[in-house]
Amino acid sequence: MKRLVVGARVLRGVDWKWRDQDGTPPGVGTVTGELRNGWIEVNWDHGGANSYRMGAEGKYDLQLADEPQPTPPPNTSGEGSDTDTPSPAARPGRSGLAASLLQALGDEGDSSTAKRLREEIEQLEQQEAELREFHDQEEDDEETMEDEGPTRKSWEDDYVLKQAFSALVPAFDPRPGRTNVPQIQDFEVPPPGSVELNSGASTALPPPTHQGVKLALSIRNGESEILLEDGSRSIFYYVQLLHTSQHRTDRLRRVWDNTYTLVYQDRHSPTSRGWSVQFVSRNLGTERLPKGDLVQYLQKRAKPSWLKKWKLQGSTKSIKKNKNCPQLITAYKDFCSSEAHSLAGAMRQVTDTDHLAPLGDCLALLRKLHSLSNQGGEPGFEASPEEFHSKKLVNKLIQQIHDPLSLASGALPDWCHALCSAYPFLFPFEAREIFFNCTAFGTSRSIIWLQRRRDDVLERLRGSTPRKEDQHELQIGRLKQDRVHIPRNEDTLAWAWAVLRTHAERKSVLEVEFVGEEGTGLGPSLEFYALVAAELQQRSLGLWLCADDAPDDLAREVDIGQGLKPPGYYVQRSNGLFPAPWPQDSADLPRVSRLFQVLGMFMAKCLQDGRRVDLPLARSFFKLLCTPGREAAGGETGGEGLGGDESTQGPLSNRNEESEPNQPVSNRSPSPSPGTPDLPAPDPSENGAELIPVGGAGSKDAGLLLAGAGEEISKDGRGKEEVVLEELPAGESPSETPWFAGILGLEDLVEVSPFRGKFLAQLQSLVQRRDAILGDPSLSPSELARQLAALTLPAHEENLPGVHLKDLALTFVFEPSSKVFTFSSHPLKPGGDTIDLTTSNAHEYYQLVEDFCLQTGIRHQLEAFKDGFDQVFPMEQLQTFSPYELQLLLCGEQTPEWSREDVLAYTEPKYGYTRESAGYQRFVNVLTEMNADERKAFIQFVTGCGSLPPGGLANLHPRLTVVRKEAHSLFVYPSVNTCVHYLKLPEYPSEEVLKARLLDATREKGFHLN
């Protein structure tokens, strides 16, 4: 491959499939462009030109043509004509200059000078040959290491550093002869159960370890310099930070008016912070740190007044003579303290928000008012959500995300993330959705979002004007689409595990095609997501809460993906799906946790690729996803840190970072942020959380405030272990406190498990009455005993007497509500099966049951869910939405509703139908009369998903188009192109026939040409 350069001669190779593009008969061509993304340009001798695969898709279309080796010129001197040995001047591989010199020396005969020059030339040639051989060997080694795995590339002066985006392919160039890499590429997925899949999704080798000097990278502007400590931050972020930390007069200049220098040096060399005091104290005066180096450093960095104070002005030689090591160490300690003070002052200019305290009070008041409005408000207080929106903040946020450099480099101001997460009511849902889509999924997706927004603006400005041919030059690239092929069979979840596990960390779009079917594009992909969503709702899996004694109120015969299933096959509950608690030492827990990991990757992929999925999760489950728990808010323990790859845009939680003792830290990036105010903590009544992060998102000493108070709470920074399903034994806790601690409460348990939740609520009321009796000092002992004995739970019917706890014969044991769970009981505490429930221990009982149902019993499942979700993008990005908004983003409108007017307004009859056609009017009438299940089946048939986007048919794009399909009998069925919502409908004679044929078509599975 190293010989495949511009000018090389090539001919068709082993993987050639391009017919006679190289001429008839096959000829030879010349390489005219460099190898790029596995493709190379060739001009053929017969006049044609095109691009061919040389590594792309694992194929090699070309091979080097075998050129004849040049022969030495014939010997015309007449001497030595009977031998094949070439003359010294004509030796192959000899440079023209060397040949000319030897030819000239040959005329001088055997003089001593000529002999000496010949020997020197031959020695130089031998050294040149050895160097060339060594260079070729180095290139071979580098090429071999590139094939085997990642390696370190040697520096070259003409090597151009470019940012590579793994999810982007070069922008399409329509001009003839240009290289165009296919946007859709096949992605190989190991089949379920294969060795490659079981060994892990990542096949990349670990980064090589190199022995040598460790470098530190910093950025400098004049006398100011900042160390680039956070590898997840872009250079532009530090440019902004450096610019903001300058003097006020300098900050008025534009960012790029200054010159910034990147400095790399030995970590033990002085940076802007200098050597450590310990290093200077140990090594000053030795070879590691001569006195002259320290003096020169201080003279370069310190102010003249400081140098005059310590008498360090003058020549280095005189200072070395007059100052001993202890004096220089003392001076350096003073310099470090003053330098640290100066740096702290600069950082205070960035993060000091004392003058913004009224802003924090205002935000806290707005949050309280918004909470009151959500709860119905006080008498006389009414406020709509629109009244809390800040138009100025919305405009400022939109302005920030339309800055291409800040957005693509992840250098948005931290207030954007902080306000959207902590005070989402300040922004309308549409603005937060835009912010989420352009920041949550990594740099590649941000670039694509910017390009699409710019194209939309250009289209509006251009109107009917034809598109310019050079517009493609403004494009950085296109979003890559990975196409996988899977069989349509009963192993849907196994294939989903294989596909999602291997594709989770990729930022390209996932497209699915079914083996043996012609369908391609959006339709089959949505069908795959719908099938996986249906399989995850199976009752037999034991994932969700369900009850045998109280059948699901929505249980019915239904087809949601795998054909018509009987009542009870799926978990169908009006209050939605919520994880069922399991003993954390159960043998079935690894299987259940693995399915929740699949669910996490599945939901994150749906959000990343913009795929709606009909998954009826409970509101409390969405509450877990978009609400920070105690851990995220700085509770007792830290949490799982988030990686710094391209999926991390801006400041995200970094709970793995260790903090110093008694040093409060923020749950965001440790680097100071340009201009981030400290913000008051959100109200716990907003979304059920008691604590959430506050303060500058990038400020390490921002602190965490108790809701409604000014008490700072520190966090010890302990991180939880990664959930590995194959290695984590059942019952072993990955951390002491789960990430979702403190989010859900008794009201959520009443919602997801009404029978058990209402019983616990009654038990809680009984405990409160008991405490009130015990706290009444006016009661005599006999009256106290009588009232305690009279405590009962209310009966199901009003006319019946209450029930005493002892009559229930309950113990401290949790019993599941269905036989699909493979355990019959679980003690809530050691020896719980021998402890009876009484009024004296009722408080402990309902706390243990609530804790098992909402925390300890679902711990492994939710840890695995978050582990799978975070492989796609950080789940903390969802905190900008409410549970209802998140449900709309993921699932759309799960109960499609429309009126006759909606169908007429938002469907388009074409090609054989008009709005007055009898066949189209029958179609409108049939759609209007459909029940809920039939509507879901119809939407699944025409769009690939059983739910509509938020807003219903009005927001379905492209619009549902109905065209006439030619039919010679009544047994021709409707067909559809799901990608463009294109329904081909025969004109049936009656509404009854039309409805029967349409519903029959919705029950058919598969994508075939029609």
Side-chain angles (χ1 to χ4, degrees), residues 266-297:
D266 186 352
R267 279 190 180 275
H268 297 295
S269 299
T271 61
S272 60
R273 303 180 181 181
W275 294 281
S276 67
V277 175
Q278 293 81 1
F279 180 84
V280 173
S281 301
R282 289 194 305 265
N283 300 288
L284 185 62
T286 65
E287 294 181 355
R288 298 191 66 184
L289 183 59
K291 291 169 60 176
D293 290 354
L294 181 62
V295 171
Q296 292 176 1
Y297 173 77

XYZ file of all heavy atoms in Angstrom, residues 266-297:
260
model
N 8.313 18.795 29.552
C 8.380 17.755 30.570
C 7.499 18.144 31.754
O 7.470 19.295 32.182
C 9.836 17.593 31.020
C 10.017 16.422 31.976
O 8.998 15.846 32.403
O 11.168 16.102 32.297
N 6.763 17.136 32.267
C 5.885 17.434 33.392
C 6.657 17.967 34.597
O 6.102 18.668 35.429
C 5.114 16.173 33.803
C 3.917 15.897 32.938
C 3.067 14.806 33.544
N 1.904 14.520 32.732
C 0.766 15.181 32.794
N 0.643 16.197 33.634
N -0.253 14.854 32.017
N 7.914 17.590 34.705
C 8.709 18.045 35.847
C 9.344 19.396 35.583
O 10.009 19.947 36.451
C 9.794 17.026 36.171
C 9.249 15.698 36.586
N 8.528 15.519 37.735
C 9.296 14.486 35.972
C 8.171 14.251 37.852
N 8.610 13.605 36.785
N 9.175 19.937 34.361
C 9.681 21.269 34.069
C 8.677 22.306 34.554
O 7.495 22.014 34.740
C 9.915 21.427 32.559
O 10.873 20.488 32.115
N 9.114 23.534 34.726
C 8.189 24.558 35.219
C 7.154 24.928 34.168
O 7.476 25.108 33.004
C 9.111 25.740 35.525
C 10.284 25.546 34.621
C 10.469 24.067 34.512
N 5.929 24.999 34.562
C 4.865 25.516 33.704
C 4.485 26.875 34.257
O 5.251 27.507 34.970
C 3.667 24.559 33.721
O 3.176 24.475 35.048
C 4.076 23.188 33.249
N 3.299 27.300 33.956
C 2.852 28.577 34.503
C 2.801 28.531 36.023
O 2.832 29.550 36.673
C 1.473 28.920 33.937
O 0.553 27.919 34.299
N 2.676 27.314 36.572
C 2.629 27.185 38.027
C 4.010 26.919 38.623
O 4.142 26.848 39.820
C 1.675 26.055 38.415
C 0.271 26.242 37.883
C -0.620 25.108 38.292
N -1.964 25.256 37.763
C -2.955 24.414 37.984
N -2.761 23.351 38.731
N -4.150 24.612 37.462
N 5.022 26.727 37.756
C 6.357 26.474 38.238
C 6.537 25.069 38.765
O 5.662 24.227 38.655
N 7.753 24.810 39.294
C 7.992 23.542 39.956
C 7.229 23.526 41.285
O 6.894 24.564 41.845
C 9.485 23.362 40.240
C 10.365 23.239 39.031
C 10.552 22.143 38.272
C 11.194 24.272 38.478
N 11.442 22.395 37.263
C 11.855 23.705 37.375
C 11.453 25.608 38.787
C 12.754 24.414 36.577
C 12.327 26.325 38.009
C 12.964 25.728 36.920
N 6.998 22.346 41.785
C 6.430 22.275 43.123
C 7.488 22.688 44.139
O 8.690 22.559 43.905
C 5.940 20.856 43.411
O 7.036 19.958 43.475
N 7.020 23.201 45.274
C 7.953 23.640 46.313
C 8.761 22.457 46.823
O 9.966 22.595 47.102
C 7.168 24.308 47.467
C 8.107 24.656 48.613
C 6.453 25.552 46.973
N 8.145 21.275 46.928
C 8.863 20.102 47.387
C 9.978 19.728 46.412
O 11.088 19.362 46.823
C 7.896 18.923 47.550
C 6.876 19.093 48.659
C 5.702 19.959 48.233
O 5.652 20.425 47.095
N 4.788 20.190 49.162
N 9.699 19.846 45.112
C 10.715 19.514 44.109
C 11.895 20.480 44.203
O 13.059 20.071 44.145
C 10.081 19.559 42.709
C 11.037 19.242 41.600
C 11.295 17.917 41.241
C 11.690 20.253 40.908
C 12.176 17.618 40.225
C 12.584 19.957 39.891
C 12.829 18.630 39.544
N 11.602 21.761 44.374
C 12.679 22.748 44.485
C 13.478 22.520 45.757
O 14.724 22.600 45.753
C 12.089 24.172 44.434
C 13.171 25.213 44.733
C 11.453 24.438 43.073
N 12.786 22.229 46.852
C 13.500 22.032 48.127
C 14.434 20.837 48.055
O 15.521 20.860 48.652
C 12.481 21.837 49.264
O 11.625 22.953 49.373
N 14.050 19.775 47.343
C 14.880 18.572 47.294
C 15.994 18.666 46.254
O 17.064 18.099 46.462
C 14.005 17.355 46.973
C 13.081 16.929 48.093
C 12.525 15.542 47.830
N 11.876 15.457 46.528
C 10.574 15.615 46.340
N 9.789 15.886 47.379
N 10.047 15.521 45.135
N 15.771 19.373 45.152
C 16.674 19.251 44.014
C 17.414 20.522 43.650
O 18.223 20.496 42.715
C 15.885 18.780 42.785
C 15.227 17.436 42.993
O 15.881 16.400 43.022
N 13.902 17.450 43.149
N 17.147 21.652 44.329
C 17.846 22.887 43.973
C 19.342 22.732 44.234
O 19.764 22.277 45.306
C 17.281 24.068 44.779
C 17.864 25.438 44.405
C 17.543 25.778 42.960
C 17.335 26.530 45.338
N 20.137 23.125 43.250
C 21.584 23.007 43.363
C 22.130 21.707 42.824
O 23.355 21.528 42.808
N 21.270 20.800 42.380
C 21.707 19.528 41.802
C 21.587 19.606 40.284
O 21.177 20.615 39.705
C 20.868 18.362 42.333
O 19.511 18.510 41.886
C 20.873 18.346 43.857
N 21.934 18.470 39.635
C 21.841 18.429 38.178
C 20.391 18.531 37.698
O 20.135 19.028 36.607
C 22.470 17.130 37.654
C 23.965 17.045 37.891
C 24.539 15.759 37.322
O 23.738 14.931 36.838
O 25.775 15.596 37.361
N 19.445 18.075 38.523
C 18.051 18.135 38.121
C 17.515 19.560 38.121
O 16.620 19.876 37.331
C 17.193 17.268 39.038
C 17.543 15.795 39.025
C 16.498 14.971 39.740
N 15.220 15.002 39.041
C 14.114 14.418 39.490
N 14.131 13.789 40.655
N 12.993 14.487 38.795
N 18.051 20.414 38.983
C 17.586 21.799 39.048
C 18.746 22.704 39.466
O 18.931 23.015 40.646
C 16.421 21.931 40.036
C 15.791 23.325 40.135
C 15.262 23.782 38.788
C 14.657 23.326 41.158
N 19.555 23.145 38.510
C 20.632 24.092 38.842
C 20.059 25.422 39.320
O 18.926 25.803 38.967
C 21.370 24.250 37.511
C 20.994 23.046 36.701
C 19.598 22.704 37.119
N 20.871 26.134 40.126
C 20.420 27.415 40.654
C 20.145 28.406 39.531
O 19.183 29.192 39.603
C 21.481 27.987 41.609
C 21.611 27.206 42.903
C 22.856 27.637 43.692
C 22.816 29.109 44.065
N 23.975 29.495 44.898
N 20.918 28.351 38.488
C 20.724 29.287 37.381
C 19.371 29.121 36.696
O 18.756 30.111 36.277
N 18.884 27.878 36.584
C 17.574 27.656 35.955
C 16.457 28.297 36.769
O 15.536 28.900 36.220
C 17.306 26.159 35.806
C 18.212 25.526 34.767
O 18.956 26.267 34.093
O 18.188 24.285 34.632
N 16.543 28.166 38.105
C 15.503 28.758 38.947
C 15.573 30.281 38.880
O 14.529 30.950 38.811
C 15.673 28.281 40.388
C 14.635 28.812 41.386
C 13.234 28.341 40.995
C 14.967 28.373 42.802
N 16.771 30.840 38.887
C 16.903 32.302 38.824
C 16.337 32.823 37.507
O 15.585 33.813 37.470
C 18.373 32.703 38.995
C 18.552 34.197 38.720
C 18.864 32.371 40.402
N 16.670 32.172 36.398
C 16.156 32.616 35.100
C 14.636 32.497 35.031
O 13.959 33.362 34.467
C 16.805 31.795 33.986
C 18.297 32.058 33.820
C 18.936 31.155 32.781
O 18.262 30.336 32.164
N 20.243 31.308 32.591
N 14.101 31.453 35.611
C 12.650 31.285 35.613
C 11.971 32.410 36.388
O 10.963 32.976 35.943
C 12.291 29.923 36.217
C 10.808 29.720 36.429
C 9.969 29.410 35.367
C 10.250 29.861 37.700
C 8.611 29.237 35.562
C 8.891 29.691 37.896
C 8.068 29.366 36.821
O 6.731 29.205 37.023
